[in-house]
Amino acid sequence: MTSATSATSQVTSAEGARERAREDSEAAFSAAFEAAVAADERIEPRDWMPDAYRSSLVRQIAQHAHSEIIGMQPEANWITRAPSLRRKAILMAKVQDEAGHGLYLYGAAETLGTGRDELLDKLHSGRQKYSSIFNYPTLTWADVGAIGWLVDGAAITNQVPLCRCSYGPYARAMVRICKEESFHQRQGYELLLVLSRGTEAQHAMAQDAVDRWWWPSLMMFGPPDDESAHSAQSMAWKIKRHSNDELRQRFVDICVPQAEALGLTLPDPDLRWNEDRGHYDFGEIDWSEFRAVLKGNGPCNEQRITQRRRAHEEGAWVREAAAAYAAKHQHAPRSDRKEAVTS
Ligand SMILES: [Fe+2]
Ligand SMILES: [Fe+2]
């Protein structure tokens, strides 16, 4: 063997050893990850995680964050027309909560190494989605009630199990979000109850809103299990704890007695208690409508995204001022910081 070939073979074997060591440690990390998930332990930002787990979480958390901030629009539409100071204060608090939810969730996505700018850019350019429910219009004041009762109610049904999600920062964000969603659901229910017990016209307005929001709310749980692209893997990773159909059924079972208490009907002639299943049966969902709205052909898709882009552009000066303030604060001598606090 010449010295040149011997050197080459040494390099090759060193590379091979490094490659084997890398594979061994990858396998050890992967085993530790799987064991943690199996033991219901939380995965934290600095822990090793499979690339697909990370990207799946980023996709889900981003879509969730986008839904929170786009979801501010249909209801903000009614802030200036709320029928009383009390209703206005409640609605403003709710819409502000939704902005806060967006912030917690963008924060959770940042722990996975994806910046807020990048996610907002994907939202604005249509590369990431938000919940289709917000592409429906709010035509009357009763829609504020129907959204609280049904849309926030469906969100809670979806989100309570996410408090036990395997990714720590997402699970912890959900705990706080769910507490606030519960207030949102109650204010909507109470609003509808007052309308339902009011004049004939108010009752009719409440019924009309429920008629329009019921089916889109059922679609919020996503496609049926056998058509849901990400469900099985998300459940194996314990990001998701229950299937779409399971959660949808749970929501229907909760809503039927609530509708009765409200004195309103749900717009589904096939809705009836099934003694054998111990659940309510319900009619076929029009998935062609769901797919059309998802594709961008809902009544308000264009309006929502245009408004979001405009709000982002108009808020540029706030982001610049906040960044300038943060930079100044970071470099300020300690004595300055102390003075600023005590003065
Ligand atoms: Fe929310
Ligand atoms: Fe909410």
Side-chain angles (χ1 to χ4, degrees):
M1 194 189 280
T2 65
S3 63
T5 40
S6 143
T8 310
S9 69
Q10 271 171 17
V11 169
T12 312
S13 69
E15 270 173 8
R18 269 201 298 275
E19 179 62 20
R20 273 195 303 281
R22 202 186 59 75
E23 280 170 9
D24 286 351
S25 61
E26 187 108 324
F29 283 139
S30 176
F33 169 85
E34 297 293 341
V37 170
D40 270 336
E41 285 170 15
R42 295 264 191 272
I43 306 299
E44 296 297 339
R46 289 192 183 140
D47 293 341
W48 184 93
M49 61 188 85
D51 290 343
Y53 176 82
R54 186 185 299 274
S55 58
S56 187
L57 273 169
V58 168
R59 181 187 50 76
Q60 180 171 337
I61 297 174
Q63 183 169 330
H64 192 165
H66 299 332
S67 303
E68 299 284 357
I69 61 167
I70 294 275
M72 296 167 73
Q73 291 185 34
E75 290 183 285
N77 180 31
W78 282 92
I79 291 177
T80 54
R81 290 173 288 167
S84 69
L85 181 61
R86 176 174 169 268
R87 290 290 177 200
K88 186 168 180 153
I90 293 171
L91 185 55
M92 282 176 72
K94 180 195 190 274
V95 173
Q96 284 179 349
D97 280 354
E98 306 299 6
H101 297 174
L103 294 183
Y104 309 154
L105 291 163
Y106 287 120
E110 278 172 340
T111 67
L112 291 158
T114 311
R116 200 184 305 177
D117 285 351
E118 183 187 333
L119 295 181
L120 285 173
D121 191 47
K122 285 184 174 161
L123 169 66
H124 298 153
S125 59
R127 282 173 293 154
Q128 276 179 346
K129 297 197 182 316
Y130 55 89
S131 177
S132 284
I133 192 83
F134 301 118
N135 291 317
Y136 291 87
T138 44
L139 302 179
T140 70
W141 169 251
D143 287 34
V144 172
I147 290 180
W149 177 42
L150 297 172
V151 176
D152 291 274
I156 296 169
T157 310
N158 251 329
Q159 292 170 10
V160 164
L162 287 174
C163 298
R164 294 188 296 121
C165 156
S166 58
Y167 187 58
Y170 191 28
R172 289 189 287 274
M174 291 321 302
V175 173
R176 186 158 172 189
I177 290 176
C178 283
K179 285 182 188 164
E180 293 173 351
E181 293 300 355
S182 160
F183 151 63
H184 300 171
Q185 194 268 355
R186 277 155 184 260
Q187 64 84 36
Y189 184 87
E190 193 259 355
L191 193 164
L192 283 180
L193 189 64
V194 170
L195 288 179
S196 178
R197 291 178 178 172
T199 64
E200 214 171 293
Q202 286 172 326
H203 180 89
M205 192 200 282
Q207 184 61 60
D208 169 63
V210 169
D211 288 346
R212 283 181 288 107
W213 288 93
W214 173 248
W215 290 105
S217 301
L218 294 191
M219 295 176 199
M220 281 176 73
F221 295 92
D225 293 346
D226 47 9
E227 290 170 31
S228 176
H230 307 288
S231 273
Q233 183 58 76
S234 283
M235 284 177 72
W237 279 327
K238 295 188 181 169
I239 296 174
K240 244 180 117 147
R241 298 278 180 163
H242 306 282
S243 75
N244 295 353
D245 287 332
E246 227 180 309
L247 292 168
R248 189 169 9 248
Q249 180 70 64
R250 187 178 295 181
F251 178 66
V252 171
D253 290 347
I254 291 170
C255 287
V256 175
Q258 289 182 346
E260 278 165 19
L262 280 171
L264 298 170
T265 55
L266 296 171
D268 180 358
D270 297 325
L271 198 59
R272 62 180 59 85
W273 179 251
N274 183 324
E275 194 65 51
D276 297 336
R277 292 201 311 123
H279 292 289
Y280 284 93
D281 288 338
F282 54 98
E284 271 297 307
I285 293 171
D286 180 1
W287 291 110
S288 62
E289 176 183 322
F290 176 76
R291 282 188 287 270
V293 179
L294 203 64
K295 264 197 193 147
N297 301 324
C300 300
N301 297 56
E302 190 59 43
Q303 182 186 335
R304 299 291 183 241
I305 209 71
T306 303
Q307 170 60 21
R308 172 90 275 284
R309 283 198 207 111
R310 185 165 57 226
H312 188 72
E313 280 156 23
E314 287 174 359
W317 70 273
V318 179
R319 292 190 296 280
E320 279 160 24
Y325 178 80
K328 192 172 145 192
H329 207 66
Q330 210 174 15
H331 300 304
R334 280 195 167 277
S335 56
D336 283 10
R337 266 187 267 163
K338 195 173 169 194
E339 216 170 72
V341 172
T342 51
S343 63

